[in-house]
Amino acid sequence: MRLLIVEDEKRLALSLAAGLRAEGFAVDVVHDGLEGLHRAGSEPYDLVVLDIMLPGMNGYRVCGALRAAGNDVPILMLTAKDGEYDEAEGLDTGADDYLTKPFSYVVLLARVRALLRRRGRAASPVLRAGELTVDTAARRVRLAGEEVALTAKEFAVLEQLVTRRGEVVSKAEILEHVWDFAYEGDPNIVEVYVSALRRKLGAGLIRTVRGAGYRLEER
């Protein structure tokens, strides 16, 4: 799952990003409303954490612009304000949930997971490819009925492949969705995780298409 945090309090934004990355999410961070709108409108995010009081463009306008453009990405709005009017305005512009600062990180994580589960139910959270079953909501993988334990990053790579089962998924596409936008490490990290998945799920499940990427086979 790839998340975008749009928050101008840099210490808070980086703290949230570190916590969410530890949970297995890929997280991008921007500190300006205009940049947030551009990034959310041009990149495939699964959820946006959006502050209201932002430079450039406030969160209400960012949210409204995304919804007006037909972008239905789940949005969790953050604000230091408190009051029914602010909450109503945030929800009226199309936000899916609302959290008032200061808040517990545990509560934010629970809200994030709830929004992702809600989105998953709408798009069928259980994906299948032959004997492989991937429950994206419960984050469980079974092969021929037996549960297979995966790390958070292994699950994220597999999720990308099973979502597009039968298609060729490039290394760049996997990097874009599983790792952060600003990732500057070795792109061969994808090969490391694909190798780990092959060891756990069987060598023939993920095919390498030379010069193009990987394809999940249905067996």
Side-chain angles (χ1 to χ4, degrees), residues 103-141:
F103 52 80
S104 159
Y105 170 74
V106 173
V107 172
L108 177 131
L109 179 60
R111 298 285 186 90
V112 166
R113 291 199 184 283
L115 288 174
L116 292 172
R117 282 197 302 270
R118 190 184 309 168
R119 184 178 180 86
R121 282 195 297 271
S124 181
V126 179
L127 304 173
R128 294 181 174 84
E131 295 182 321
L132 179 71
T133 301
V134 179
D135 188 328
T136 60
R139 302 180 72 78
R140 287 183 172 177
V141 175

Side-chain angles (χ1 to χ4, degrees), residues 10-23:
K10 294 186 178 180
R11 182 177 297 179
L12 173 60
L14 296 177
S15 175
L16 291 178
L20 291 166
R21 285 174 184 139
E23 296 293 330

Side-chain angles (χ1 to χ4, degrees), residues 131-133 140-149 200-201:
E131 295 182 321
L132 179 71
T133 301
R140 287 183 172 177
V141 175
R142 292 182 181 277
L143 183 64
E146 296 293 323
E147 187 161 349
V148 181
K200 293 182 177 183
L201 301 173

Side-chain angles (χ1 to χ4, degrees), residues 145-177:
E146 296 293 323
E147 187 161 349
V148 181
L150 299 182
T151 67
K153 276 289 189 285
E154 288 169 355
F155 184 92
V157 172
L158 178 63
E159 184 180 20
Q160 283 301 296
L161 293 171
V162 74
T163 298
R164 295 177 55 186
R165 54 200 174 279
E167 301 177 24
V168 176
V169 184
S170 71
K171 186 184 298 183
E173 288 173 314
I174 295 173
L175 275 172
E176 180 180 85
H177 204 86

Side-chain angles (χ1 to χ4, degrees), residues 85-115:
Y85 176 78
D86 298 315
E87 180 172 359
E89 185 171 355
L91 296 176
D92 283 347
T93 58
D96 297 274
D97 203 355
Y98 181 99
L99 200 55
T100 302
K101 301 175 186 176
F103 52 80
S104 159
Y105 170 74
V106 173
V107 172
L108 177 131
L109 179 60
R111 298 285 186 90
V112 166
R113 291 199 184 283
L115 288 174

